Amino acid sequence: MKDEEYMRRAILLAEKAGGFAAPNPLVGAVVVKEGRIIGEGYHRRCGEFHAERNALLSLTESAEGAVMYVTLEPCCHVGRTPPCTDAIIEHKIAKVFIGSRDPNPLVAGKGAKMLREHGIDVQEDFLREECDALNPIFFHYITTGMPYVALKYAMTLDGKIAAYTGASQWITGEEARHHVQTLRSRYSAIMVGIGTVLADDPMLNCRLSEAHQPLRVVADTHLRISPESRLCQTAKDFPTLVACVTAEPEKRQRLEEMGVTVCECPADNGHVCLPFLMKQLAQRHISSVMIEGGGQLSEAALHSGIVQHVYAYIAPKLLGGREAKTPVEGQGAAHPDQAALLTYRRMTRLGEDWLLEYDVERGLG
């Protein structure tokens, strides 16, 4: 195997953690000696050992003189776990290939420097673009202190997310719907507006076995959510937060007794102030949020500038209808110059459907 193959193996390992590592990054590590993999590991869960230490714990023989391939610069500070640089030095690793640079001020170049100071050969930026692709969430969260927010929707080829009757199951096929579940497992929170809750009574949990369960968040200005909704009925099993501007004390108390967290927020144009809500979520160590609807919330999110990424699932169907719902509703932009600007990232075929992904360069003007 070549150096690139070992690093790509580390990338595959990193991806195994899914949402369990949050708010920490996804990291994988592989230890190679004389052309043999003698240890490998990944950061499985926040609070547990990092990838480098897990790889060293799995060694089948001495790592003296070996090479380590790690997708992110090793940490050199004491956090929930000891510094990974110490373990690398103690095991007398000879060379370390590093993929991404860690923007965390506690690390940022210091990890690589410490390794070099102890005579270890360090090669940085190795397959950096592929390694960076693991952690847009972590990079955004650690540099801004705010959650990375993605907007997700499924629509027909003519831009409808439901028929004029409101019927929306199912726009996309089974493969695309399964892919949505993998996304839910990677995000710290899933968010919808109260309109979606009242219309669909969703569960918003991840239905993959043994997957990370995201926090379920509802933007509900006047606390209209019903205690009989599936979200409230299952709040003790799946964490649930309802953000509101006004709340009747008795209803708030009832919801909280059911296990729902009620978060009061200031108003912005008569609705929940989304930037304020994101700050509240960040304080709860929520590093990422995927918005799943509806159209009013999507427009508000794009207007507020909180969205970093878009997942658009496109089905080969045409629904038509002036009254049929679209992914982004509200008044919208007054002029094409005020449209949200996106940068293409990738396109994936999922059965008969397509997933288009874009980064958001500018929200709705």
Side-chain angles (χ1 to χ4, degrees), residues 153-162 314-315 317-321 324-328:
Y153 55 84
M155 70 179 189
T156 60
L157 202 56
D158 57 342
K160 308 298 183 182
I161 63 172
I314 314 295
K317 300 174 182 178
L318 301 171
L319 274 174
K325 292 184 176 294
T326 58
V328 182

Side-chain angles (χ1 to χ4, degrees), residues 249-293:
E250 290 184 2
K251 185 170 187 180
R252 174 173 183 156
Q253 181 179 347
R254 183 180 179 189
L255 293 177
E256 290 177 338
E257 289 173 350
M258 298 178 74
V260 176
T261 298
V262 178
C263 176
E264 290 196 41
C265 303
D268 180 16
N269 291 322
H271 299 284
V272 170
C273 178
L274 296 178
F276 179 88
L277 175 58
M278 292 304 110
K279 289 180 182 178
Q280 296 300 304
L281 294 176
Q283 291 176 9
R284 291 171 167 82
H285 305 292
I286 297 298
S287 59
S288 60
V289 178
M290 185 163 71
I291 297 175
E292 292 203 10

Side-chain angles (χ1 to χ4, degrees), residues 189-268:
I190 305 300
M191 182 175 173
V192 297
I194 184 59
T196 296
V197 175
L198 296 176
D200 300 336
D201 193 22
M203 274 288 289
L204 299 181
N205 63 315
C206 178
R207 291 187 281 276
L208 301 180
S209 61
E210 299 182 4
H212 159 75
Q213 290 297 336
L215 171 68
R216 305 178 300 179
V217 180
V218 181
D220 182 5
T221 304
H222 302 295
L223 203 62
R224 292 190 291 154
I225 191 168
S226 169
E228 304 306 316
S229 68
R230 293 203 293 170
L231 288 172
C232 294
Q233 291 291 317
T234 58
K236 290 185 178 178
D237 298 316
F238 302 102
T240 306
L241 182 147
V242 179
C244 64
V245 174
T246 59
E248 296 178 3
E250 290 184 2
K251 185 170 187 180
R252 174 173 183 156
Q253 181 179 347
R254 183 180 179 189
L255 293 177
E256 290 177 338
E257 289 173 350
M258 298 178 74
V260 176
T261 298
V262 178
C263 176
E264 290 196 41
C265 303
D268 180 16

Side-chain angles (χ1 to χ4, degrees), residues 9 13 16 29-31 37-42 51 54-56 58-59:
R9 172 62 184 165
L13 289 168
K16 287 187 174 184
V30 173
V31 183
I37 293 178
I38 63 170
E40 59 181 29
Y42 63 97
N54 281 331
L56 294 170
S58 75
L59 289 173

